[in-house]
């Protein structure tokens, strides 16, 4: 990947920032993965190599985001999931370098993050329904009828 960056005169990270290169970067990333084996990239990632992370990000982030979108049906939440997963990859880089099947680990992390979102939304829904039931429980019909009677009397 360093050779490619030298030829282009920029780093992959700089190319990511320029949106006009989006499709070319995706193609370039696929070729990088053909040239450099994933194992080598993971070893470099464990050493803190940002370009190795960039290569993993370019290769896997769109796939993670699409899986999340397919399951959540919400593009914004899917992007959030993808960003949090890729952040965890960077934070756990030493641990991840020991993985034999990085892609399986990555997609398991994605599914677990989505299940967490589902669980949080279920808890939120239960809380909302409990709040609504408590409001109905404390509702005073006699007060409502008195207010209504007074309002009608004013007419």
């Amino acid at each position: 990947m360093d050779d490619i960056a030298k030829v282009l005169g920029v780093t992959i990270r700089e190319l990511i920032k320029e949106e006009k290169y989006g499709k070319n970067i995706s193609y370039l990333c696929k070729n990088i993965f053909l040239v450099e084996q994933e194992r080598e990239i993971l070893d470099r990632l464990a050493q803190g190599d940002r370009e190795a992370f960039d290569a993993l990000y370019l290769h896997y982030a769109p796939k993670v985001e699409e899986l999340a979108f397919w399951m959540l049906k919400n593009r914004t939440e899917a992007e959030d999931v993808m960003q949090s997963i890729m952040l965890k990859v960077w934070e756990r880089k030493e641990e991840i370098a020991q993985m034999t099947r990085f892609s399986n680990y990555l997609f398991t992390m994605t599914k677990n993050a989505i299940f967490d979102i589902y669980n949080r939304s279920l808890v939120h829904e239960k809380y909302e329904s409990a709040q609504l039931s408590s409001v109905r429980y404390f509702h005073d019909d006699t007060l409502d009828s008195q207010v209504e009677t007074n309002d009608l009397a004013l007419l």
Side-chain angles (χ1 to χ4, degrees):
M1 187 159 72
D2 293 333
D3 294 334
I4 294 170
K6 286 177 188 174
V7 170
L8 296 174
V10 293
T11 65
I12 299 298
R13 197 174 308 104
E14 290 169 339
L15 287 173
I16 294 169
K17 292 177 185 175
E18 296 194 33
E19 293 179 19
K20 64 183 178 181
Y21 294 112
K23 291 181 182 176
N24 293 336
I25 293 300
S26 178
Y27 177 75
L28 177 64
C29 181
K30 288 176 186 173
N31 287 334
I32 289 170
F33 266 78
L34 292 175
V35 174
E36 293 187 30
Q37 298 298 316
E38 187 174 273
R39 177 84 265 138
E40 294 172 28
I41 292 173
L42 291 173
D43 289 341
R44 288 177 34 217
L45 176 68
Q47 298 168 2
D49 186 335
R50 291 293 302 257
E51 288 187 6
F53 176 76
D54 290 347
L56 288 173
Y57 185 94
L58 287 169
H59 186 72
Y60 285 111
K63 295 174 182 179
V64 168
E65 186 175 334
E66 284 307 309
L67 174 62
F69 179 69
W70 179 73
M71 293 179 79
L72 295 169
K73 307 295 188 249
N74 182 316
R75 182 63 64 189
T76 304
E77 284 185 350
E79 289 172 1
D80 290 345
V81 167
M82 180 270 297
Q83 290 294 329
S84 71
I85 295 300
M86 297 312 291
L87 177 62
K88 287 177 185 176
V89 167
W90 178 256
E91 291 171 345
R92 299 175 184 174
K93 57 186 172 278
E94 294 86 11
E95 171 187 331
I96 287 173
Q98 306 306 316
M99 303 285 163
T100 54
R101 294 288 303 169
F102 173 69
S103 60
N104 291 350
Y105 178 74
L106 188 66
F107 292 112
T108 299
M109 285 175 51
T110 304
K111 287 189 293 185
N112 289 339
I114 292 165
F115 293 148
D116 288 345
I117 290 171
Y118 285 145
N119 287 336
R120 279 194 305 264
S121 68
L122 288 174
V123 167
H124 183 72
E125 288 173 14
K126 286 180 183 177
Y127 176 77
E128 281 182 345
S129 70
Q131 291 297 327
L132 289 174
S133 343
S134 67
V135 168
R136 274 188 241 119
Y137 177 75
F138 290 111
H139 184 72
D140 187 358
D141 287 334
T142 57
L143 181 60
D144 281 348
S145 64
Q146 287 175 356
V147 169
E148 185 178 330
T149 305
N150 290 341
D151 286 346
L152 287 174
L154 292 174
L155 295 175

